[in-house]
């Protein structure tokens, strides 16, 4: 799911990257955002800037409406009680998304992703991104999704899933995963990240066991 579309605004959020105690701040082109994501990262993984997004859309079995207070209360209830900063960040993201609601297509990702790829503006670089989504699919459907996305060599595929969800990705990691997720681009493992994006450890990709 797209979490009410909140995962579709990487260009509208600010980022505070901590590299060995030195914080690098990346803001949107419009200036600092009310939504701030903090991450401990190594120097190799530090991005140069916030991405440019020309079109955004997501797929969800049950899309949530950022204008519906009851649905947003339900989404907020999923945040652990002691995680006050995450709760404040969620509320700020909801306010931002309400100003520019993302297009959300209801349906199974095996059906909706091809349709969304076809809808993308001509000449744009299409990126399909999912985080802790495939874990909810049966193993056979995960394989079907990988086969599906590989049918689009022009599409950049970014996955962020737990150990074992994509065996061909996890099998590239040669260090302990320790509860983190594996970030991969086009099936190639790039980093181990905290389950809520709070850390990023670059990988020198290799073939081998976990």
């Amino acid at each position: 799911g797209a979490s009410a579309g909140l995962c579709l605004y990487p260009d509208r959020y600010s980022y505070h990257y901590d590299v060995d105690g030195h914080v690098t701040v990346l803001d949107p082109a419009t200036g600092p955002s009310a939504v701030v994501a903090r991450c401990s990262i190594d120097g190799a993984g530090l991005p140069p800037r916030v991405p440019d997004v020309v079109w955004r859309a997501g797929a969800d079995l049950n899309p949530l409406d950022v204008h519906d207070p009851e649905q947003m209360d339900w989404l907020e209830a999923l945040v652990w009680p002691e995680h006050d900063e995450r709760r404040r960040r969620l509320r700020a993201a909801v306010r931002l998304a309400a100003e520019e609601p993302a297009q959300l297509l209801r349906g199974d990702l095996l059906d909706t992703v091809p349709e969304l790829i076809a809808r993308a503006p001509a000449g744009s670089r299409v990126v399909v991104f999912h985080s802790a989504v495939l874990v909810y699919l049966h193993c056979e459907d995960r394989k079907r999704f990988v086969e599906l996305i590989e049918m689009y060599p022009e599409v950049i595929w970014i996955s962020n899933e737990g150990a074992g969800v994509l065996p061909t990705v996890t099998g590239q990691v040669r260090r302990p995963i320790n509860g983190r997720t594996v970030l991969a681009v086009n099936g190639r493992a790039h980093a181990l990240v905290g389950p809520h994006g709070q850390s990023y450890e670059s990988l020198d990709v290799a073939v081998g066991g976990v």
Side-chain angles (χ1 to χ4, degrees):
S3 296
L6 304 184
C7 295
L8 302 174
Y9 296 84
D11 58 322
R12 302 289 300 279
Y13 301 154
S14 289
Y15 304 88
H16 291 190
Y17 290 106
D18 187 326
V19 183
D20 296 328
H22 175 74
V23 176
T24 295
V25 176
L26 296 182
D27 291 321
T30 54
S33 173
V35 183
V36 178
R38 305 178 192 278
C39 177
S40 296
I41 195 169
D42 53 57
L46 188 65
R49 60 180 178 86
V50 173
D52 296 321
V53 177
V54 298
W55 184 77
R56 66 190 93 233
D60 206 311
L61 285 174
N62 181 38
L64 300 180
D65 182 358
V66 292
H67 294 107
D68 187 320
E70 289 189 3
Q71 292 187 21
M72 293 304 96
D73 285 345
W74 181 87
L75 188 61
E76 186 172 313
L78 301 178
V79 178
W80 298 337
E82 67 275 18
H83 286 199
D84 291 331
E85 183 177 356
R86 287 180 60 206
R87 189 173 297 102
R88 288 191 293 269
R89 186 166 60 236
L90 173 62
R91 291 170 181 168
V94 168
R95 289 193 295 270
L96 186 152
E99 297 173 359
E100 181 192 342
Q103 177 182 347
L104 299 179
L105 188 61
R106 181 185 297 273
D108 186 279
L109 58 83
L110 293 169
D111 301 318
T112 53
V113 167
E115 182 175 345
L116 290 175
I117 291 174
R119 291 186 187 182
S124 61
R125 174 177 291 180
V126 180
V127 177
V128 173
F129 166 70
H130 55 89
S131 180
V133 170
L134 299 189
V135 66
Y136 296 105
L137 273 61
H138 293 297
C139 291
E140 287 304 313
D141 285 338
R142 295 174 196 171
K143 293 177 183 178
R144 288 177 58 201
F145 175 78
V146 173
E147 293 169 356
L148 170 67
I149 204 68
E150 289 177 344
M151 293 172 58
Y152 297 91
E154 74 283 4
V155 169
I156 297 175
W157 170 35
I158 301 177
S159 63
N160 183 38
E161 299 288 347
V165 175
L166 293 171
T168 57
V169 171
T170 306
Q172 300 168 32
V173 182
R174 296 186 300 187
R175 65 187 71 172
I177 295 178
N178 294 333
R180 293 172 291 180
T181 52
V182 184
L183 179 70
V185 179
N186 296 332
R188 185 173 183 267
H190 274 243
L192 297 177
V193 304
H196 296 119
Q198 68 270 43
S199 64
Y200 183 108
E201 179 185 357
S202 298
L203 295 171
D204 13 64
V205 172
V207 178
V210 179

